Amino acid sequence: MMFSTHWSESVLFLKLTEGENPPVYKFDGQLLLFSGSFENYLFQMAFRKVEDTQFLYQTEFAASPKRFREILSEKSVQNIQWTTRMELIESLLEPYQLQKTWFSDEVHFYGISSEYIIHVDLSWALNITVSSDNHIVFQKMNRSLARLFGIQPKHYKKLNKAE
């Protein structure tokens, strides 16, 4: 059952035969898992609303599918133990001491610290969003993530914080 369109001109849908809380899939020529469950999807959308409205600063990092495959290859030779892409992301973000949210899944990682939040989206390739109110911490995170993944932020914006 289709229930939404995605900004990438793909559609989101549920396979109602997959239980009471089915995964959300994205179809844009190929079928891809978009969220581990419909419940996760709802909380993930609420988190995105928070990251877009409740912080002063936000940046996004993005890697194409080709660049993400290169990153995976580079990290494979660094003796990091992982079997899924999300396990690698969680391993790489472990030093940041983020509290992983319960609605994170194999496609989306949501982490919270006292100074910033991070959202990693693997539904297409690698997309990372960092939001914070502390400009100094925010700049340090940008530099750190750029070094860690070998990609530069694609967007940097100062948001109008909602009251």
Side-chain angles (χ1 to χ4, degrees):
M1 174 182 89
M2 185 188 99
F3 70 91
S4 181
T5 55
H6 188 260
W7 63 265
S8 64
E9 298 181 11
S10 55
V11 294
L12 300 179
F13 68 95
L14 303 169
K15 290 183 182 179
L16 297 177
T17 57
E18 293 192 21
E20 291 184 25
N21 191 18
V24 175
Y25 294 96
K26 178 173 83 165
F27 184 79
D28 60 358
Q30 62 180 342
L31 184 64
L32 299 168
L33 183 65
F34 189 74
S35 184
S37 71
F38 187 67
E39 181 181 39
N40 282 4
Y41 170 80
L42 293 175
F43 280 93
Q44 291 166 358
M45 293 303 105
F47 190 94
R48 287 184 185 179
K49 180 77 170 168
V50 167
E51 72 185 357
D52 288 341
T53 61
Q54 300 301 309
F55 293 91
L56 290 174
Y57 305 100
Q58 185 179 76
T59 191
E60 297 176 6
F61 295 82
S64 67
K66 179 184 177 194
R67 177 63 189 130
F68 188 39
R69 284 190 298 275
E70 291 169 356
I71 291 168
L72 293 173
S73 293
E74 292 165 7
K75 299 304 179 187
S76 291
V77 298
Q78 295 179 358
N79 294 326
I80 300 171
Q81 299 297 315
W82 59 280
T83 54
T84 67
R85 299 176 313 159
M86 189 54 73
E87 284 178 0
L88 173 64
I89 296 300
E90 290 179 18
S91 175
L92 293 173
L93 294 177
E94 192 173 323
Y96 295 93
Q97 299 178 336
L98 295 161
Q99 180 180 343
K100 178 181 171 181
T101 66
W102 66 267
F103 50 86
S104 295
D105 56 32
E106 58 272 11
V107 182
H108 296 276
F109 173 87
Y110 293 89
I112 300 169
S113 83
S114 61
E115 297 285 343
Y116 55 88
I117 61 173
I118 290 182
H119 168 212
V120 179
D121 179 349
L122 301 180
S123 67
W124 180 68
L126 173 64
N127 293 290
I128 304 168
T129 304
V130 179
S131 304
S132 179
D133 283 336
N134 185 322
H135 193 256
I136 294 170
V137 169
F138 179 73
Q139 288 177 320
K140 287 179 183 177
M141 282 300 300
N142 283 341
R143 286 191 299 272
S144 178
L145 290 172
R147 279 191 308 274
L148 179 63
F149 291 103
I151 53 178
Q152 293 301 310
K154 69 175 188 170
H155 295 292
Y156 168 81
K157 56 188 169 185
K158 184 170 183 184
L159 303 171
N160 292 323
K161 190 171 179 179
E163 296 299 322

